[in-house]
């Protein structure tokens, strides 16, 4: 069932009918699908990290899926969406973080990928970047983390995820690994489960920016019929417990929405925090922001943040590798 649905929504010719895709922007869909509105206690919270005030967040639980899957409808301000886009393109893509293009030696030691793309308007090089890994590096072959393959986890991404985790009541969460996926209009991500981390109780936080994706959310086997869901710029998905073992994937990226990262509201600028002013200055200057906005016109970025260590654990042991299949 998962494979058939994936093929259906991936198809260019004929294009898929989108009527059955769950759309959290449509009030009808909120009653027709198995969705529960979740209330969060956050009156006293400050607005931070490019988010709208948490009391305005719309949090939904997709009830039909195993475990717990939360969908938060774009809690980011425009400037917040721009901030994380700039970070993913200009900063997280830098060494020593790992990328899929490392293997091809396309970027000399003394150069940076984003700079090289900008200097020659090198669209070919720009479209080659498909993923970056941060913190404990995801091993795409073995799916096993190792203490020997680990970089520094970015402070701003850690602070932002901890803020979200505390608002949603995940007080023990620790951000230790992230994968940033870069999608272009013809990119897909095939069905998979997230089982590399030992503690499946710990949530996985997923943040998306740019063009809209059809996200397929299945069950514990590929025989279960998946639910297609639109994920738009700024939307956040939180998976925990059995939902992390549910098959999911992205069969299609669509240019169907307005630019949620435009225009910016000057009043939101102060809420990112003073440590991050340099990037905020790029976000609020139309000329400096332009190449990033151009990238988002034809692309989507997804950051997913995970906890690797079990509660109380300081480092991975060699036995951990044997436990993970
Ligand atoms: C993932 O499942 O790893 C990413 C999903 C997404 O791009 O929304």
């Amino acid at each position: 069932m998962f494979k058939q649905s994936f093929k259906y929504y991936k198809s260019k010719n004929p294009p898929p009918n989108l009527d059955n895709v769950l759309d959290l922007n449509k009030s009808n869909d909120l009653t027709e699908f198995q969705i529960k509105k979740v209330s969060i206690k956050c009156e006293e919270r400050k607005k931070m990290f490019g988010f709208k005030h948490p009391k305005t967040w719309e949090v939904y639980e997709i009830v039909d899926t195993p475990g717990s899957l939360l969908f938060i409808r774009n809690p980011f301000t425009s400037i917040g969406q721009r901030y994380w886009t700039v970070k993913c393109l200009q900063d997280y893509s830098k060494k020593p973080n790992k990328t899929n293009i490392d293997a091809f030696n396309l970027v000399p030691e003394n150069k940076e990928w984003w700079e090289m793309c900008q200097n020659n308007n090198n669209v070919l090089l720009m479209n080659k970047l498909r993923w970056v890994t941060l913190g404990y590096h995801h091993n795409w072959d073995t799916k096993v983390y190792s203490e020997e393959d680990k970089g520094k986890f970015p402070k701003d991404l850690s602070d932002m995820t901890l803020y979200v985790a505390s608002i949603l009541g995940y007080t023990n969460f620790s951000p230790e690994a992230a994968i940033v996926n870069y999608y272009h209009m013809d990119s897909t991500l095939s069905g998979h489960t997230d089982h590399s981390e030992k503690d499946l109780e710990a949530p996985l936080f997923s943040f998306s920016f740019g063009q809209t994706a059809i996200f397929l959310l299945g069950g514990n086997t590929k025989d279960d019929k998946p639910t297609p869901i639109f994920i738009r710029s700024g939307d956040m998905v939180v998976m925990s417990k059995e939902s992390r073992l549910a098959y999911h994937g992205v069969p299609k990226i669509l240019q169907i929405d307005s630019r949620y990262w435009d225009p910016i509201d000057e009043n939101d600028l102060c809420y990112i925090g003073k440590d991050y002013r340099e990037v905020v200055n790029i976000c609020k200057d139309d000329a400096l922001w332009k190449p990033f906005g151009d990238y988002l016109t034809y692309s989507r970025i997804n950051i997913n943040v995970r906890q690797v260590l079990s509660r109380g654990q300081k480092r991975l042991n060699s036995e951990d590798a044997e436990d993970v299949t």
Side-chain angles (χ1 to χ4, degrees):
M1 288 294 247
F2 193 94
K3 271 196 175 153
Q4 276 111 303
S5 273
F6 196 93
K7 204 165 152 205
Y8 176 77
Y9 284 107
K10 184 182 170 184
S11 170
K12 285 196 181 107
N13 200 2
N17 178 335
L18 304 178
D19 290 352
N20 292 327
V21 181
L22 167 57
D23 187 343
L24 281 113
N25 279 3
K26 281 199 195 142
S27 49
N28 264 1
D29 282 11
L30 297 179
T31 47
E32 276 171 28
F33 284 81
Q34 292 282 351
I35 293 166
K36 204 168 79 188
K37 189 137 196 220
V38 177
S39 55
I40 48 174
K41 293 195 195 78
C42 53
E43 290 301 317
E44 75 289 359
R45 293 289 180 157
K46 280 208 235 127
K47 218 165 113 167
M48 281 178 80
F49 301 106
F51 286 111
K52 299 169 193 160
H53 194 289
K55 70 178 179 226
T56 68
W57 290 14
E58 286 177 50
V59 183
Y60 300 98
E61 184 172 357
I62 317 278
V63 179
D64 248 357
T65 168
S68 164
L69 188 134
L70 298 180
F71 188 107
I72 298 102
R73 214 179 118 198
N74 182 18
F76 290 92
T77 62
S78 304
I79 200 97
Q81 293 179 64
R82 288 185 178 201
Y83 178 88
W84 297 107
T85 300
V86 172
K87 291 297 293 201
C88 289
L89 293 172
Q90 183 183 271
D91 288 358
Y92 301 159
S93 58
K94 285 183 184 165
K95 295 176 196 77
N97 299 332
K98 291 197 170 183
T99 77
N100 66 302
I101 54 174
D102 292 347
F104 306 109
N105 290 325
L106 300 170
V107 181
E109 273 307 312
N110 58 344
K111 294 251 162 55
E112 309 292 357
W113 166 79
W114 180 249
E115 245 172 62
M116 277 179 72
C117 295
Q118 296 315 304
N119 288 346
N120 323 315
N121 192 19
N122 191 338
V123 180
L124 227 59
L125 180 62
M126 188 133 74
N127 286 345
K128 285 215 157 64
L129 186 72
R130 285 290 280 119
W131 56 257
V132 166
T133 53
L134 310 168
Y136 279 99
H137 294 295
H138 182 74
N139 185 319
W140 299 88
D141 300 320
T142 64
K143 312 264 187 265
V144 176
Y145 292 109
S146 136
E147 209 53 52
E148 282 67 56
D149 193 14
K150 173 183 158 186
K152 205 165 175 282
F153 194 90
K155 165 108 174 53
D156 56 356
L157 186 56
S158 171
D159 288 347
M160 184 268 262
T161 315
L162 285 172
Y163 174 75
V164 174
S166 76
I167 286 171
L168 297 177
Y170 297 106
T171 44
N172 294 312
F173 181 75
S174 168
E176 290 156 350
I179 302 175
V180 186
N181 289 303
Y182 302 81
Y183 296 86
H184 309 295
M185 298 316 295
D186 58 356
S187 308
T188 61
L189 181 73
S190 51
H192 63 280
T193 63
D194 286 305
H195 59 262
S196 293
E197 296 77 29
K198 282 198 81 186
D199 185 356
L200 296 177
E201 294 285 313
L204 180 157
F205 294 91
S206 166
F207 311 100
S208 297
F209 305 103
Q211 298 305 320
T212 299
I214 297 180
F215 180 78
L216 275 191
L217 174 63
N220 290 341
T221 77
K222 284 196 169 172
D223 297 333
D224 297 320
K225 188 168 185 257
T227 305
I229 308 173
F230 284 124
I231 298 188
R232 297 190 164 85
S233 192
D235 289 345
M236 192 160 99
V237 172
V238 185
M239 296 169 108
S240 64
K241 303 184 186 148
E242 292 83 8
S243 75
R244 300 187 48 158
L245 300 178
Y247 277 91
H248 58 277
V250 177
K252 201 163 199 79
I253 307 294
L254 297 159
Q255 246 170 347
I256 50 169
D257 287 299
S258 54
R259 299 164 69 86
Y260 289 95
W261 49 94
D262 285 337
I264 54 162
D265 178 347
E266 291 287 322
N267 294 324
D268 287 326
L269 296 183
C270 49
Y271 291 110
I272 305 253
K274 63 178 183 332
D275 293 351
Y276 310 123
R277 209 158 271 161
E278 214 176 293
V279 174
V280 172
N281 286 342
I282 296 177
C283 301
K284 66 179 184 183
D285 180 314
D286 281 344
L288 295 178
W289 162 254
K290 187 174 182 313
F292 300 95
D294 288 348
Y295 182 92
L296 283 194
T297 309
Y298 301 102
S299 314
R300 169 178 185 260
I301 298 173
N302 173 265
I303 316 174
N304 50 83
V305 180
R306 298 127 189 269
Q307 174 172 326
V308 172
L309 301 172
S310 302
R311 233 208 284 169
Q313 198 180 17
K314 292 273 182 294
R315 48 183 285 120
L316 288 170
N317 310 312
S318 44
E319 303 91 73
D320 291 326
E322 286 156 29
D323 289 352
V324 181
T325 50

